[in-house]
Amino acid sequence: MRRRQQTIVETDITGLAFGGKGIARIDGLAVFVERTVPGDRARIRITRKKRNYAEAQLEEILTPSADRVAAPCRYSGICGGCTWQFLRYEKQLEYKRQHVAESLEHIGAITGVPVHATLASPVLFGYRNKMEFTCTDRRWLLPEEMGQPGAENDFAIGLHVPGTFHKVIDVAECLLQPAAGNRILEAIRGFIRSSGQPVYGLRSHAGFWRFAMLRNSAANGGWMVNIITAFEDRAMVTTLAERLTAAFPEVVSVVNNVTARHAGVAIGEFEQAVIGTPFIRDAIGRFEFDVSANSFFQTNTLGAALLYRTVLEYAGLEGQETVLDLYSGTGTIPIFISEHCREVVGIEIIASSVADAERNCRLNGVSNCRFIKGDILEGLSGLAVRPQVMIIDPPRVGMAKEVVQQVLAMGPGRIVYVSCNPATLARDLVLLQEGYAVLEVQPIDMFPHTFHVESVVRLERK
């Protein structure tokens, strides 16, 4: 590209990168273009040029790809909640498998391992059991509102523009959560606006209302409302809770997390129950689970059943094994596989998750699961038992190298690795290959209309 051509160019999109951006090739340089897919011909604006690649914004679709569909959400292309609504779902599944396979090959140099076709989510909209909405004193105006008289921008409760911390769209309806959640969100919006307490400034760090987190149960339709505030005002939050439970009988829990920390994380320094139980009950398969406000629970409940059945299949349990589950969360995987083995030991660092896991065992009458609260490294080093099977379900950053070395030293006969990040999956598998053969990979779509993909990997000791 000559320098004078770098502002706006017309080009064909020929590939798709992990992260959801289309790839164009201009004068041999890879250009990553937001909101495009292979088959598009587009007019793009080059915004950043590096030595080996460039980045661009979409100005106009000149000829749409045959894989494009009409996005049902009015915020599609602006909001960061989901970025692939305009892409035909069958192609979403194909690209997710491709991203997993390419990560293994390009990052891990892992070839010849079967990467199966991506398993589809049981539902494509309304699948999220948890949504987190940010409160702010400045609303990000939609493109059609720019320059319009009367367009107020002093308040928003909604979702972020991708890649930003301060640009928040005032979301009236999110199609990723069940419809009842949008009605509850609208009631919260109305109360906050009339409450007299200011919303939080993402730059000034002044104000009261910070986040509204909504959890719902796919099993029984119940809802938890978690209001995150910058300081405590029990009377104010109780009034909101009373109005919500009066208007929505399905709201069975209202809790208040309070934090003065500046970090934009919807977790309180302390939590207090306001109305109802401090947890919500959901089910995966035949098992029920109580999930508190800040504990991890798979976001797509129906998809989680599909994921856990794959874990169970890859574990190859015969009934007498001791299974070690790293990053065990609220105990969902241990409980799900409990009747197929002798014992499951889970390790989890978050105290509330361990408490949930123990309560969930009692709830389901499961007696062969126990949980160790603490850091993974400390838990592994102090473990007396030697498992025959290990299940690893780490966060997006994957495992620390020291944890991988501990796993290799323990040497279980089989490992099932569950990943939400193909890049860190590939990195960890390279390290595990010192002692294990990677046999097969099953991608699973837990997040339709996003580029995110879960993977379950079966490994056996060499």
Side-chain angles (χ1 to χ4, degrees):
M1 290 181 295
R2 295 189 300 275
R3 188 169 185 81
R4 66 177 179 271
Q5 295 176 317
Q6 289 183 8
T7 303
I8 294 179
V9 294
E10 294 183 6
T11 187
D12 293 314
I13 306 299
T14 57
L16 195 66
F18 182 70
K21 291 185 178 181
I23 304 174
R25 296 278 175 182
I26 302 177
D27 294 344
L29 188 70
V31 182
F32 298 97
V33 190
E34 62 179 13
R35 295 186 287 125
T36 60
V37 294
D40 284 338
R41 181 161 183 82
R43 181 177 291 113
I44 65 174
R45 179 184 297 275
I46 306 290
T47 57
R48 187 181 185 190
K49 186 179 178 183
K50 295 290 187 178
R51 191 160 137 193
N52 298 321
Y53 71 93
E55 296 178 358
Q57 293 179 349
L58 174 66
E59 292 289 305
E60 181 184 3
I61 295 292
L62 302 173
T63 306
S65 166
D67 295 319
R68 278 188 173 269
V69 295
C73 177
R74 64 178 290 203
Y75 310 108
S76 177
I78 308 168
C79 168
C82 53
T83 55
W84 270 5
Q85 281 193 30
F86 59 79
L87 181 60
R88 189 163 56 88
Y89 186 62
E90 292 76 13
K91 293 301 292 187
Q92 293 183 31
L93 298 178
E94 289 181 25
Y95 286 128
K96 292 185 182 192
R97 180 203 170 277
Q98 175 183 313
H99 288 158
V100 174
E102 289 179 348
S103 294
L104 296 184
E105 181 177 352
H106 297 158
I107 298 173
I110 299 171
T111 58
V113 175
V115 179
H116 304 302
T118 307
L119 297 180
S121 172
V123 290
L124 304 188
F125 287 98
Y127 63 84
R128 286 191 66 99
N129 58 35
K130 175 187 173 185
M131 288 293 298
E132 180 183 303
F133 300 97
T134 300
C135 300
T136 179
D137 59 356
R138 290 190 64 82
R139 178 172 73 92
W140 185 252
L141 297 179
L142 299 177
E144 62 268 22
E145 297 176 304
M146 297 291 188
Q148 295 297 316
E152 298 179 354
N153 68 343
D154 62 338
F155 171 86
I157 176 170
L159 302 173
H160 290 256
V161 174
T164 69
F165 79 95
H166 65 287
K167 299 177 182 179
V168 178
I169 302 165
D170 195 41
V171 174
E173 179 183 37
C174 178
L175 301 183
L176 298 189
Q177 70 175 349
N182 295 314
R183 295 191 291 271
I184 295 169
L185 179 64
E186 185 59 30
I188 295 171
R189 175 183 286 107
F191 182 88
I192 289 176
R193 295 209 70 154
S194 63
S195 68
Q197 282 281 23
V199 293
Y200 193 75
L202 299 180
R203 292 187 183 276
S204 67
H205 301 292
F208 177 70
W209 305 101
R210 296 198 64 174
F211 301 93
M213 180 191 295
L214 306 183
R215 283 191 182 269
N216 71 87
S217 169
N220 58 43
W223 286 79
M224 167 189 279
V225 176
N226 177 18
I227 300 297
I228 297 89
T229 59
F231 51 88
E232 188 175 0
D233 185 339
R234 179 84 182 193
M236 178 68 70
V237 178
T238 299
T239 301
L240 170 58
E242 290 171 346
R243 292 191 185 180
L244 289 176
T245 52
F248 305 98
E250 60 266 49
V251 174
V252 298
S253 170
V254 181
V255 300
N256 178 206
N257 272 252
V258 181
T259 179
R261 296 183 180 126
H262 289 178
V265 180
I267 298 176
E269 295 171 77
F270 66 91
E271 176 181 318
Q272 51 194 4
V274 182
I275 286 182
T277 60
F279 54 82
I280 191 169
R281 182 165 294 177
D282 209 339
I284 300 176
R286 70 175 189 84
F287 297 104
E288 293 185 314
F289 298 95
D290 286 345
V291 185
S292 57
N294 296 321
S295 292
F296 174 77
F297 191 74
Q298 287 288 350
T299 309
N300 183 339
T301 307
L302 299 180
L306 191 61
L307 177 71
Y308 293 171
R309 284 197 294 270
T310 305
V311 170
L312 180 59
E313 176 190 344
Y314 280 12
L317 301 174
E318 297 178 353
Q320 298 304 313
E321 297 89 352
T322 293
V323 180
L324 180 61
D325 181 31
L326 306 187
Y327 314 93
S328 56
T330 56
T332 50
I333 290 179
I335 290 170
F336 193 88
I337 68 172
S338 59
E339 59 189 353
H340 300 276
C341 58
R342 185 176 67 84
E343 180 188 26
V344 189
V345 179
I347 304 178
E348 169 60 48
I349 195 169
I350 300 175
S352 63
S353 293
V354 173
D356 284 348
E358 292 170 343
R359 183 172 61 248
N360 287 330
C361 283
R362 294 191 295 270
L363 176 64
N364 289 284
V366 171
S367 59
N368 64 338
C369 295
R370 62 185 177 93
F371 301 92
I372 299 170
K373 179 197 168 298
D375 179 81
I376 296 292
L377 270 178
E378 295 175 2
L380 285 173
S381 61
L383 198 64
V385 300
R386 286 295 177 263
Q388 288 76 49
V389 178
M390 187 179 291
I391 297 170
I392 305 171
D393 186 5
R396 289 191 60 79
V397 294
M399 293 191 291
K401 289 183 179 180
E402 295 81 1
V403 174
V404 175
Q405 292 306 313
Q406 284 270 33
V407 170
L408 290 170
M410 295 188 78
R414 290 185 298 282
I415 294 176
V416 181
Y417 190 120
V418 182
S419 169
C420 61
N421 185 340
T424 56
L425 168 66
R427 182 203 66 196
D428 289 351
L429 290 182
V430 169
L431 300 176
L432 287 170
Q433 279 188 315
E434 179 182 322
Y436 289 84
V438 181
L439 300 183
E440 59 183 318
V441 183
Q442 178 61 72
I444 300 172
D445 186 19
M446 300 282 285
F447 307 100
H449 315 300
T450 78
F451 62 86
H452 297 291
V453 59
E454 294 273 336
S455 302
V456 184
V457 186
R458 182 166 69 93
L459 303 98
E460 287 194 0
R461 191 171 58 202
K462 292 179 180 177

